[in-house]
């Protein structure tokens, strides 16, 4: 209670992380694209215009539609961040810099904010800008080979989005740890994690 999170994540791992914190009492403000919203709004089973996937990943949150490609929209995001404790984004590396919502820009309006970047393969390296989906991370991490039972068997996927879930739990724990650190030092940290790192650590 009393912790505000500005959530610019979409799909699974980011929204799942902020949902865990929302369940625990944080005030989560989800920022979505006007006219479209989070991609999970159109996925899977639907009732009364909302998908089960979106509701499961975004319960206990408030939502606002903001055009991040407009100066006015970025101004709104910065005003929200001035009242927040945590900022979470899972854009591909380089996008937040182009939009003007990178760590330096957000920290200029809230110096002690915990800034969180979730990526597929990390922010640098040969795969940094490639799309990362759960099956791809299962394959790259070796998880699909482990699931097969032996190195000489055909890799098999785990039949749930385990990399997304592990990344979400890791992110939620890291955010909590960074908030404890801020209580002790007065400084906000930049939490960086990738889906690949989370699965390899697991």
């Amino acid at each position: 209670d009393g912790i505000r999170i500005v959530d610019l994540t979409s799909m699974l791992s980011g929204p799942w992380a902020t949902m865990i914190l929302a369940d625990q009492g944080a005030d989560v403000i989800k920022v979505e694209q006007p006219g479209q919203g989070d991609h999970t709004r159109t996925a899977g089973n639907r009732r009364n215009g909302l998908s089960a996937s979106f509701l499961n990943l975004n319960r206990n949150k408030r939502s606002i539609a903001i055009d991040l490609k407009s100066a006015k929209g970025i101004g709104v995001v910065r005003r929200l961040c001035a009242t927040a404790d945590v900022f979470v984004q899972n854009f591909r590396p380089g996008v937040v810099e182009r939009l003007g919502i990178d760590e330096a820009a957000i920290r200029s309006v809230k110096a002690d904010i915990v800034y969180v970047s979730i990526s597929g393969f990390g922010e640098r390296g040969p795969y940094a800008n490639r799309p990362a989906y759960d099956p791809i991370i299962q394959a790259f991490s070796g998880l699909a080979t482990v699931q097969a039972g032996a190195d000489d068997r055909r890799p098999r996927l785990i039949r749930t989005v385990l990399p997304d879930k592990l990344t979400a739990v890791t992110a939620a724990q890291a955010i909590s740890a960074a908030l404890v650190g801020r209580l002790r030092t007065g400084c906000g940290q930049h939490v960086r994690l990738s889906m690949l790192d989370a699965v390899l650590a697991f």
Side-chain angles (χ1 to χ4, degrees):
D1 187 24
I3 297 295
R4 175 169 288 173
I5 299 171
V6 175
D7 177 6
L8 270 74
T9 66
S10 63
M11 293 301 286
L12 301 177
S13 60
W16 219 315
T18 56
M19 180 271 293
I20 291 169
L21 297 167
D23 282 354
Q24 294 172 348
D27 174 23
V28 179
I29 302 171
K30 183 176 179 70
V31 175
E32 297 185 72
Q33 184 178 340
Q36 178 181 334
D38 192 317
H39 301 294
T40 59
R41 282 186 178 272
T42 58
N45 297 327
R46 299 171 64 82
R47 182 172 292 173
N48 298 325
L50 291 170
S51 75
S53 177
F54 177 81
L55 291 172
N56 186 49
L57 294 166
N58 294 286
R59 62 179 181 254
N60 294 325
K61 301 178 188 180
R62 296 186 287 160
S63 187
I64 183 171
I66 300 176
D67 181 3
L68 298 178
K69 294 181 179 175
S70 73
K72 185 177 179 181
I74 294 302
V76 172
V77 170
R78 289 181 178 176
R79 288 204 306 276
L80 283 173
C81 289
T83 71
D85 302 284
V86 182
F87 177 91
V88 189
Q89 60 87 12
N90 66 347
F91 293 105
R92 285 191 198 174
V95 171
V96 291
E97 287 80 8
R98 288 197 302 272
L99 292 174
I101 53 172
D102 55 299
E103 181 189 7
I106 299 303
R107 210 168 285 292
S108 72
V109 297
K110 187 68 184 291
D112 65 349
I113 201 164
V114 173
Y115 190 100
V116 183
S117 299
I118 301 172
S119 63
F121 295 100
E123 296 177 24
R124 291 183 299 277
Y127 296 101
N129 290 306
R130 294 200 178 184
Y133 298 100
D134 199 273
I136 294 171
I137 300 299
Q138 287 199 41
F140 263 86
S141 66
L143 188 59
T145 299
V146 172
Q147 182 71 2
D151 289 347
D152 58 353
R153 290 190 180 176
R154 182 178 178 179
R156 296 182 63 178
L157 294 177
I158 293 175
R159 294 183 63 188
T160 183
V161 286
L162 187 64
D164 280 300
K165 293 176 181 179
L166 283 173
T167 305
V169 171
T170 303
Q173 191 280 327
I175 290 166
S176 298
L179 287 170
V180 170
R182 189 181 73 164
L183 283 173
R184 294 185 174 179
T185 66
C187 298
Q189 299 178 46
H190 189 166
V191 174
R192 294 178 172 93
L193 70 153
S194 75
M195 291 174 68
L196 183 60
D197 283 341
V199 175
L200 289 173
F202 176 75

